[in-house]
Amino acid sequence: MKKRHLFIVLFYCAFCFGQPKPKAKTIHVFVALCDNVNQGIVPVSSKLGNGQDPFNNLYWGALYGVKTHFKRSKDWTLVSTQKNPKEYILERVLFKHTTTNTFLLADAYDGKFIKQAITDFLEASAGRNSIKVNEKVFGGTSNLLAYVGHDGLMEFDVSGHFLPLNKEKRDAIILACVSKTYFAPYLSITKANPLVWSTGLMSPEAYTLKWAVDGWINNETDAQIRERAAQAYHKYQKCGVNGARRLLVTGN
């Protein structure tokens, strides 16, 4: 090999292997399992609405539940599954994005502990309660927090440590009925950025979350991410894209 060619090869190797890996981006999703008995919802089938059965639950193991929908996606790889990391969390799953250094942790909360799920989400949106899973840090250290499930704040208030722990920017997605109205007073305290939330009744299935997360990973603007969410909701719910845009909004 000529010296010039050898130099080019060595330079290329040094450049490639010497570059630091992009810092991991982390997402933590708090899912309150659908629960006919313990939540003030319009009842669904007993199978989908058993808040103690994540395997069949509408928001977790069903076709458009968080675990199943992300597991079936070509964009995500299931890294690990943990049963009962806490008494009120029935299952925890960790996914890695297939083309970027992005990790998504999702927790399935027993439906009767919906108040705990909302409180944990809000405290994390204030930068609190960090947890380490597979050497990656989630909870309040996550870059993006999401809540999926019934809007329990329609029935109860929550209390917790909601003052922000630091000035780090944290985005929040809240897929629950009329979430902008009911979660706004809390996000005004935690200072998280409301990336996508709702103005009316909705079905908080995982396709809306998935499409919004796709845009977030691509560093799109808040408006572009909200548009992705609206397009997803229209695609699956056949509600009309303008109706979906009125339902799913961004910002205060």
Side-chain angles (χ1 to χ4, degrees):
M1 184 181 290
K2 293 182 179 180
K3 288 184 177 180
R4 181 172 177 273
H5 290 165
L6 178 61
F7 174 78
I8 292 173
V9 170
L10 292 174
F11 176 81
Y12 177 79
C13 291
F15 177 81
C16 290
F17 292 104
Q19 295 300 303
K21 288 180 66 175
K23 184 180 178 181
K25 296 175 74 173
T26 54
I27 304 164
H28 195 155
V29 183
F30 299 77
V31 181
L33 296 184
C34 181
D35 195 316
N36 287 337
V37 174
N38 297 292
Q39 297 171 10
I41 63 173
V42 176
V44 297
S45 74
S46 59
K47 188 174 182 180
L48 295 174
N50 183 344
Q52 291 69 54
D53 175 22
F55 183 78
N56 294 299
N57 196 268
L58 180 62
Y59 300 148
W60 191 259
L63 181 61
Y64 297 126
V66 169
K67 180 184 178 181
T68 299
H69 193 64
F70 278 83
K71 189 176 179 180
R72 289 164 59 95
S73 170
K74 62 180 176 56
D75 298 323
W76 294 89
T77 300
L78 180 63
V79 176
S80 65
T81 301
Q82 183 182 1
K83 303 291 185 183
N84 296 109
K86 293 188 176 181
E87 67 165 307
Y88 47 81
I89 298 176
L90 302 181
E91 189 170 46
R92 169 174 286 164
V93 290
L94 177 65
F95 291 94
K96 183 180 186 304
H97 194 253
T98 54
T99 60
T100 69
N101 195 24
T102 305
F103 292 83
L104 183 149
L105 186 74
D107 284 331
Y109 281 70
D110 183 327
K112 67 184 177 183
F113 290 98
I114 184 173
K115 182 177 284 191
Q116 183 73 52
I118 292 174
T119 301
D120 287 355
F121 161 75
L122 290 171
E123 290 192 338
S125 76
R128 300 178 181 275
N129 304 336
S130 296
I131 59 170
K132 183 176 283 190
V133 179
N134 284 35
E135 302 306 313
K136 299 294 182 292
V137 186
F138 298 91
T141 305
S142 298
N143 309 109
L144 171 63
L145 290 310
Y147 173 77
V148 173
H150 172 57
D151 189 345
L153 296 178
M154 291 177 168
E155 289 119 37
F156 54 75
D157 296 322
V158 294
S159 59
H161 301 290
F162 300 146
L163 290 175
L165 195 61
N166 51 49
K167 294 184 179 180
E168 294 294 322
K169 178 181 180 291
R170 282 174 289 275
D171 292 317
I173 294 174
I174 309 174
L175 300 183
C177 293
V178 206
S179 57
K180 180 175 181 180
T181 296
Y182 288 93
F183 280 79
Y186 296 96
L187 259 62
S188 70
I189 300 171
T190 71
K191 303 304 181 185
N193 171 47
L195 195 57
V196 178
W197 50 4
S198 72
T199 60
L201 302 180
M202 70 168 299
S203 176
E205 293 178 315
Y207 40 80
T208 308
L209 176 68
K210 165 68 170 57
W211 285 37
V213 166
D214 288 345
W216 182 84
I217 289 173
N218 290 335
N219 297 313
E220 294 178 2
T221 66
D222 292 8
Q224 289 171 322
I225 293 167
R226 170 264 188 170
E227 178 65 16
R228 280 182 179 262
Q231 292 288 346
Y233 200 78
H234 163 60
K235 174 181 171 66
Y236 286 89
Q237 291 288 328
K238 312 299 183 189
C239 60
V241 69
N242 288 331
R245 287 170 180 152
R246 289 191 293 270
L247 174 66
L248 297 167
V249 296
T250 187
N252 298 309

